[in-house]
Structures are given as structure tokens and as C-alpha cells.
Amino acid sequence: DQQVKQNSPSLSVQEGRISILNCDYTNSMFDYFLWYKKYPAEGPTFLISISSIKDKNEDGRFTVFLNKSAKHLSLHIVPSQPGDSAVYFCAACEGYGNKLVFGAGTILRVKS
Amino acid sequence: GAGVSQSPSNKVTEKGKDVELRCDPISGHTALYWYRQSLGQGLEFLIYFQGNSAPDKSGLPSDRFSAERTGGSVSTLTIQRTQQEDSAVYLCASSSRETQYFGPGTRLLVL
């Protein structure tokens, strides 16, 4: 039973354009959501997070949107850069600091 | 400051042998987590330590897996009688509040 789903295995975007990565969840008890970026042979790197009391959080080129009624969140990267090419994982937890439940990941390729 | 470190970075072992994987969390972080990523899979939770509380072992796949955290800092994940399906990247993370920061992982290959 996948509680966190990333339905797009891969995404290809032109440099300078917007990248939109999507994530759906089923557990209504999740109250904290995070996005991680992972390069091959490295551990995941924290990108941005959002609490369930908010619907948007922005950090530089990265913005995360949360739609609680739809149990959906998305990560927007604007403008996309070739260095953004990596695997992006969506994760969620019940309560701050609790174990994370991860999606399967989306491979983002930014073409120059 | 220093991030989460893990050792060894790579480990090749024979089926049936025991292995120990080490994690050094970020200094001052009270919570420590172990996850693994099998080939082509997402990250799977294994075990979680928070301060002096009893660990959450709900993700350990079998009783061959165990972990301890000594002195509230360094943690060791032990896999006894390794099987080929244990081959994966084992990732450690630590946190002081809501965000978990990951180490580079240990790539375990069981032949």
C-alpha cells in the first residue's frame, strides 16, 4: 500500500523553463511534507518542506504547493537549470521528526 | 559544519556472513534514522532513535536486522546471516527538529 505516490517516473524540461513535479498521498494524518534531491551515488539532499497548516512555501527557485483537500503537493523549479537534473523524492510524515514515507521518485532531466 | 557520515561507503560480503554499518550523525542531533534503498525501489524506513526513548523498530524486515545507538550519538546497524535480498544502499539520517539530513549511504552487495 503506497501511501506516497509519484506517478511520473521521469520528466524532461528545457533549461530556463519551469519544472513541475507532482506527489499524491493517501494518509490524511500526514502533516509535514518534504522534497529531497538525489544524485547518483550520493545520499538525498533536503530541498524544501511544508507544514500542513500552509499551502505554499518558497525558497529561491523552489516552491512547494500543498492542496490538502486533494492530498496533493507539487514542487515547482523556476527557472530550471541543467544542474537540477537528478532524482526528486517526495516524503511525508505524521508529526515532526517522525519516520518519513517516501515516494518512488521522479527523474528530472533539464536539457540545455 | 560536518554532515552525517557513514562507513564503510561500500561493502561486499558473502551470503551468510554478518555485517556492521556505522553512522555518525550531525553533532547535537537527537534523532537518528536508518533507511534502505533497494535497486529500482524507493527509500524504505528501517528504524528510528529519538533521545532516550525506546527505538521505533517497525520497519526492520526480519530479526536478522538490529541497530543500536551508543551514548546518543553513533549508531550501528547489524545484519546477521546476510542474504542476497539484503543488497541495497543503507542510508542514515539525523535531525534536531523536523528536517532529516542524510548521509552518503553504504552500498551493500551480498554475493
Side-chain angles (χ1 to χ4, degrees):
Chain A
D1 176 31
Q2 274 190 295
Q3 297 187 68
V4 178
K5 299 179 184 178
Q6 294 177 255
N7 292 318
S8 298
S10 64
L11 174 68
S12 186
V13 171
Q14 197 67 35
E15 179 180 7
R17 307 295 287 267
I18 184 171
S19 295
I20 301 177
L21 297 104
N22 293 302
C23 178
D24 297 291
Y25 62 96
T26 58
N27 185 347
S28 58
M29 298 301 291
F30 286 147
D31 56 6
Y32 191 65
F33 304 87
L34 307 90
W35 284 94
Y36 286 86
K37 177 171 74 172
K38 187 179 184 301
Y39 294 118
E42 294 184 10
T45 301
F46 170 72
L47 274 178
I48 192 169
S49 61
I50 188 167
S51 163
S52 60
I53 63 173
K54 296 185 176 181
D55 55 19
K56 176 182 175 182
N57 188 26
E58 190 173 353
D59 184 2
R61 296 186 298 114
F62 302 93
T63 303
V64 55
F65 295 92
L66 175 62
N67 183 334
K68 284 182 60 179
S69 61
K71 293 190 177 69
H72 177 84
L73 64 155
S74 61
L75 174 68
H76 293 210
I77 306 173
V78 181
S80 302
Q81 300 173 353
D84 295 331
S85 298
V87 180
Y88 287 78
F89 289 99
C90 169
C93 61
E94 293 181 42
Y96 285 1
N98 214 331
K99 60 189 178 187
L100 293 176
V101 179
F102 283 86
T106 296
I107 301 170
L108 173 65
R109 179 170 169 249
V110 180
K111 298 176 289 185
S112 56
Chain B
V4 177
S5 61
Q6 293 186 244
S7 61
S9 54
N10 294 281
K11 177 71 177 179
V12 181
T13 190
E14 293 179 347
K15 178 182 172 181
K17 295 285 181 67
D18 297 352
V19 294
E20 284 189 353
L21 312 179
R22 177 187 168 104
C23 172
D24 283 88
I26 293 172
S27 178
H29 281 192
T30 57
L32 186 148
Y33 314 77
W34 285 97
Y35 297 84
R36 74 174 176 182
Q37 184 177 21
S38 303
L39 189 63
Q41 304 293 316
L43 282 82
E44 171 192 17
F45 166 76
L46 296 176
I47 187 168
Y48 156 42
F49 297 88
Q50 173 60 273
N52 296 321
S53 304
D56 176 352
K57 304 179 182 180
S58 60
L60 294 178
S62 78
D63 58 9
R64 296 185 296 103
F65 288 72
S66 63
E68 62 178 23
R69 188 178 185 193
T70 54
S73 182
V74 171
S75 177
T76 302
L77 177 70
T78 301
I79 310 173
Q80 296 179 309
R81 304 179 303 281
T82 52
Q83 303 294 312
Q84 289 180 332
E85 61 264 28
D86 299 335
S87 296
V89 178
Y90 288 81
L91 292 155
C92 176
S94 70
S95 74
S96 60
R97 292 185 60 192
E98 61 271 11
T99 301
Q100 295 178 31
Y101 296 92
F102 283 82
T106 293
R107 285 149 196 81
L108 175 65
L109 177 61
V110 182
L111 300 176

